[in-house]
Amino acid sequence: MHAPLLDRRSPKTPVPAGVFFVGTVTLAQSTPAAPSAPVVAAICAAEILSLAGFSIVPALLPQFIEAWSLTNTQAGWLAGIVSAGYMLAVIPLVRLTDSRPARQIYLASSALSAVSCFGMALCDSLIPALAFRALAGIAMAGMYMPGLRALTHGGEGATRARIAAWYTSSFTIGASLSFLFGRVGTLLGWRSAFIIA
């Protein structure tokens, strides 16, 4: 039995007698539109605020060394474990955006960042602090690249480049803001800095 609407042959292909060729049906997925300016601004602001805890530990490292009697090696681990968490999580989380919406990963990672800040505020020793700082690195991995993918998806050319530029500059602003929270920590104590962040 022959179904003319499902015939995949090109119109130039000879059609047997008695068969009517209606045409070729193509199904194309529509590409989503680029995000609006308020959406881009909201995501950039969210990134800035979610990075508030990023550099507090390096800014307050002398306080941690004194409070917990850390060696230089332990202090180095405390300051650098965020990068280790990021490095271990960034590839799996970015790959996850192929099967899950990037905004879901971004939101879950933002919540994880808040948990890491509150957990750090409750720490009294190095080991749990290392765990919460590693969690902060994992959260950053789930916010930065998936957030960029969520914003630039659907954008093309100059629009996509402008969105990426705004988003990546927001990272620098957020990291700088976290140093200001470190300054708050010198005035009000390091726990207060993490709670505010």
Side-chain angles (χ1 to χ4, degrees), residues 81-156:
I81 196 78
V82 169
S83 297
Y86 178 87
M87 183 180 65
L88 291 173
V90 68
I91 292 174
L93 288 174
V94 170
R95 284 188 71 189
L96 192 59
T97 61
D98 292 333
S99 58
R100 310 267 321 175
R103 66 177 172 259
Q104 288 180 359
I105 297 166
Y106 182 89
L107 290 172
S109 298
S110 296
L112 198 63
S113 178
V115 167
S116 72
C117 282
F118 281 118
M120 191 66 192
L122 299 174
C123 286
D124 283 321
S125 62
L126 178 64
I127 299 302
L130 288 175
F132 282 114
R133 292 304 289 164
L135 200 64
I138 293 168
M140 187 174 67
M143 289 184 297
Y144 184 64
M145 291 306 292
L148 181 61
R149 183 166 184 176
L151 271 182
T152 57
H153 185 67
E156 292 181 1

Side-chain angles (χ1 to χ4, degrees), residues 21-196:
F21 184 76
V22 175
T24 306
V25 177
T26 57
L27 298 175
Q29 289 183 333
S30 61
T31 55
S36 64
V39 170
V40 172
I43 296 295
C44 289
E47 182 190 17
I48 290 168
L49 295 175
S50 63
L51 286 169
F54 177 65
S55 298
I56 291 179
V57 168
L60 295 176
L61 201 55
Q63 286 190 30
F64 287 109
I65 292 171
E66 184 180 341
W68 295 344
S69 302
L70 301 179
T71 65
N72 289 338
T73 302
Q74 291 171 328
W77 272 102
L78 184 60
I81 196 78
V82 169
S83 297
Y86 178 87
M87 183 180 65
L88 291 173
V90 68
I91 292 174
L93 288 174
V94 170
R95 284 188 71 189
L96 192 59
T97 61
D98 292 333
S99 58
R100 310 267 321 175
R103 66 177 172 259
Q104 288 180 359
I105 297 166
Y106 182 89
L107 290 172
S109 298
S110 296
L112 198 63
S113 178
V115 167
S116 72
C117 282
F118 281 118
M120 191 66 192
L122 299 174
C123 286
D124 283 321
S125 62
L126 178 64
I127 299 302
L130 288 175
F132 282 114
R133 292 304 289 164
L135 200 64
I138 293 168
M140 187 174 67
M143 289 184 297
Y144 184 64
M145 291 306 292
L148 181 61
R149 183 166 184 176
L151 271 182
T152 57
H153 185 67
E156 292 181 1
T159 302
R160 184 180 181 123
R162 277 195 299 274
I163 291 171
W166 279 104
Y167 186 78
T168 53
S169 63
S170 298
F171 180 88
T172 306
I173 295 169
S176 302
L177 179 67
S178 68
F179 276 106
L180 289 178
F181 281 121
R183 179 67 181 151
V184 170
T186 60
L187 300 173
L188 304 176
W190 62 269
R191 293 183 196 277
S192 300
F194 278 103
I195 290 171
I196 294 170

